[in-house]
Amino acid sequence: DAFSLELERISTKFQIIGLAETNISAEESHVYQLEGYNSFYQSKHINKAKGTGVAIYVNKNLNAVVNDNLSWVTKNLETIFVTLQHSEPLHIGVLYRPPSGDSTEALNEIRKIVEMCPKKNVYILGDFNINMHDKSSKLVDDFENIIFGLGLTPLISISTHHKPGCKSTCIDNILTNSTENVVHSGTISTCISHHNAIFNTFKSHIITSSKNKSKRRSKSSSK
């Protein structure tokens, strides 16, 4: 499909891929598999057919389990979190804030989730529908007070959403409490959405060991 073609167009093979607004239920997820990845889909909001759904794809060489305590579905916020198990585990979350929800309640829910997150190796990515370029917005001020106060840093500072006839905005982001491991981050233009894809590369013992293991298997199978 179009998403698979977009991934083939990008030279880098990402170990973890997050999707927001999938409009796909967990029961339908078996239809939307990517070769080489395990998929984890959150249930859609029960009263919505569009503008709902989050998912994570994880390289099959990585041992990922869903963290149910951090995975929520409300009218204000949808999240799914997985933990990559290791002596130094990684915690990856995908978040979608529907603009139709209550923004104040959404921020309260974000606060509660982040307060339950570990103090390091956390990455939260997704469509927050909070334009970080609008410095006159109380919503932005409140959001920044929460994330900075809880030790999270946003990694995306350029526009991520470009819709004809509308001003470009920075509503998609990646938050982390381990900036010391970040190598670089940015956006990638796509042909399938008004949103740019956002990405982050970071140092991790889990990813490194997985790549080494994959290489050994490749050599072995070619013999």
Side-chain angles (χ1 to χ4, degrees):
D1 61 5
F3 179 56
S4 297
L5 292 174
E6 280 293 313
L7 290 178
E8 290 180 9
R9 185 177 65 87
I10 302 170
S11 58
T12 299
K13 179 176 174 61
F14 294 105
Q15 302 296 306
I16 303 159
I17 299 171
L19 300 176
E21 271 190 289
T22 63
N23 299 318
I24 297 167
S25 67
E27 294 73 25
E28 301 169 302
S29 63
H30 67 279
V31 179
Y32 300 94
Q33 298 302 302
L34 292 176
E35 184 177 354
Y37 292 87
N38 290 319
S39 65
F40 304 87
Y41 273 73
Q42 178 63 283
S43 299
K44 296 191 303 181
H45 191 277
I46 192 169
N47 294 321
K48 298 179 72 175
K50 294 187 67 177
T52 181
V54 288
I56 300 178
Y57 288 82
V58 179
N59 187 303
K60 284 187 173 180
N61 290 319
L62 301 173
N63 184 17
V65 295
V66 174
N67 185 330
D68 291 322
N69 291 331
L70 302 178
S71 301
W72 294 15
V73 179
T74 73
K75 64 180 181 180
N76 309 305
L77 197 71
E78 301 181 29
T79 65
I80 185 167
F81 277 75
V82 299
T83 297
L84 276 58
Q85 297 180 318
H86 190 263
S87 58
E88 292 187 18
L90 279 173
H91 312 276
I92 311 293
V94 176
L95 178 152
Y96 174 62
R97 187 187 77 81
S100 59
D102 185 303
S103 60
T104 300
E105 287 302 313
L107 292 184
N108 288 334
E109 292 173 19
I110 289 173
R111 181 195 297 276
K112 291 177 183 177
I113 288 173
V114 175
E115 287 176 341
M116 291 190 293
C117 285
K119 301 306 180 184
K120 65 176 182 177
N121 295 331
V122 173
Y123 297 86
I124 305 173
L125 56 146
D127 180 357
F128 293 80
N129 274 307
I130 299 174
N131 180 17
M132 300 298 279
H133 290 172
D134 186 359
K135 296 306 180 183
S136 64
S137 166
K138 184 179 184 300
L139 178 59
V140 172
D141 285 342
D142 291 344
F143 177 63
E144 289 183 336
N145 286 336
I146 289 172
I147 61 174
F148 289 138
L150 293 172
L152 291 176
T153 300
L155 301 180
I156 305 299
S157 59
I158 61 177
S159 296
T160 64
H161 186 255
H162 309 272
K163 190 173 183 179
C166 298
K167 187 176 181 180
S168 295
T169 56
C170 178
I171 60 176
D172 309 276
N173 225 304
I174 304 171
L175 311 179
T176 185
N177 57 11
S178 291
T179 54
E180 69 278 5
N181 293 327
V182 172
V183 178
H184 67 282
S185 55
T187 69
I188 303 171
S189 61
T190 72
C191 300
I192 58 174
S193 173
H194 294 306
H195 295 261
N196 286 354
I198 55 177
F199 73 89
N200 170 44
T201 60
F202 55 89
K203 295 175 287 186
S204 166
H205 295 300
I206 300 178
I207 305 298
T208 301
S209 62
S210 168
K211 287 182 177 179
N212 290 338
K213 189 183 297 183
S214 177
K215 288 177 182 176
R216 289 197 293 272
R217 287 177 178 169
S218 177
K219 289 179 181 177
S220 174
S221 64
S222 66
K223 294 177 181 178

